[in-house]
């Protein structure tokens, strides 16, 4: 299954439905969506993420989810709700402590919201590198375990980006 990002904002509730293999190579659309959210181009008071059709997530995508959770914390919004029934994806989410940042619900969603497809944003190699770096920084900001695990990745990325 190819990766797909679907999104809707209804009555200031933002819905994200992510499916397929979620890798850094196809994360620019999601990153662009998060940028629009953070820059207040999208008005949001609550976040819902549906991962019920995700088959794989890499650390960059997990970091993008961590960015969403951080946004909610910074805006004093309720914890985002994340729906996922995929055992391998749930195992990854819990192992990287996303259960501290999200209300994880291990069941199907019943939201009948009309979602629109989000296309990949055209990023330069430098922009992709910065996106990967920021995602991993959000991931290590969650807790010490992630910091220990991903700090070398962050340092390497900073070195490669000349930061």
């Amino acid at each position: 299954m190819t990766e797909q990002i679907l999104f809707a904002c209804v009555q200031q509730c933002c819905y994200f439905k992510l499916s397929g293999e979620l890798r850094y190579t196809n994360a620019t659309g999601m990153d662009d969506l998060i940028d629009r959210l953070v820059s207040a181009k999208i008005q949001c008071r609550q976040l819902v993420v549906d991962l019920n059709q995700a088959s794989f997530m890499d650390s960059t995508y997990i970091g993008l989810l961590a960015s969403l959770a951080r946004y909610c914390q910074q805006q004093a919004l309720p914890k985002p709700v994340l729906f996922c029934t995929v055992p391998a994806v749930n195992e990854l989410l819990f192992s990287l402590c996303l259960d501290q940042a999200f209300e994880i619900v291990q069941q199907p969603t019943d939201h009948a919201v009309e979602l629109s497809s989000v296309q990949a944003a055209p990023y330069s190699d430098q922009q992709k590198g910065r996106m990967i770096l920021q995602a991993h920084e959000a991931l290590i900001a969650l807790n010490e375990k992630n910091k220990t695990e991903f700090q070398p990745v962050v340092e390497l990325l900073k070195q490669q980006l000349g930061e």
Side-chain angles (χ1 to χ4, degrees):
M1 175 191 283
T2 58
E3 163 277 344
Q4 188 176 18
I5 303 166
L6 299 172
F7 176 77
C9 189
V10 179
Q11 297 177 338
Q12 294 191 329
C13 183
C14 293
Y15 297 89
F16 297 81
K17 183 175 178 92
L18 309 174
S19 58
E21 290 193 7
L22 305 169
R23 299 176 184 275
Y24 75 94
T25 53
N26 54 29
T28 60
M30 183 68 175
D31 186 60
D32 186 56
L33 202 49
I34 292 168
D35 283 346
R36 289 190 295 155
L37 187 65
V38 170
S39 66
K41 291 179 182 151
I42 300 171
Q43 296 299 312
C44 185
R45 304 303 309 150
Q46 185 176 6
L47 268 154
V48 176
V49 180
D50 181 349
L51 294 177
N52 283 316
Q53 294 178 1
S55 57
F56 174 84
M57 290 184 81
D58 69 8
S59 57
T60 297
Y61 244 100
I62 297 277
L64 291 172
L65 290 179
S67 296
L68 285 176
R70 223 157 98 194
Y71 165 79
C72 289
Q73 291 169 343
Q74 291 166 345
Q75 299 299 312
L77 299 177
K79 244 187 202 187
V81 179
L82 190 150
F83 289 88
C84 187
T85 56
V86 182
V89 174
N90 277 330
E91 187 178 324
L92 182 63
L93 296 173
F94 282 97
S95 74
L96 294 174
C97 302
L98 261 74
D99 57 313
Q100 295 172 2
F102 283 86
E103 188 69 43
I104 297 179
V105 180
Q106 297 182 52
Q107 64 186 37
T109 57
D110 59 359
H111 297 291
V113 175
E114 187 156 332
L115 302 160
S116 300
S117 184
V118 175
Q119 301 306 312
Y123 277 27
S124 67
D125 287 344
Q126 187 78 7
Q127 287 172 306
K128 285 179 189 171
R130 203 165 269 108
M131 171 195 69
I132 295 167
L133 172 62
Q134 289 171 344
H136 283 81
E137 286 175 334
L139 194 53
I140 67 174
L142 283 178
N143 62 40
E144 276 305 310
K145 179 183 168 285
N146 289 354
K147 186 173 184 175
T148 303
E149 193 166 335
F150 292 103
Q151 188 66 42
V153 175
V154 167
E155 295 305 323
L156 179 63
L157 287 166
K158 281 182 175 179
Q159 195 175 24
Q160 288 177 341
L161 290 168
E163 294 186 8

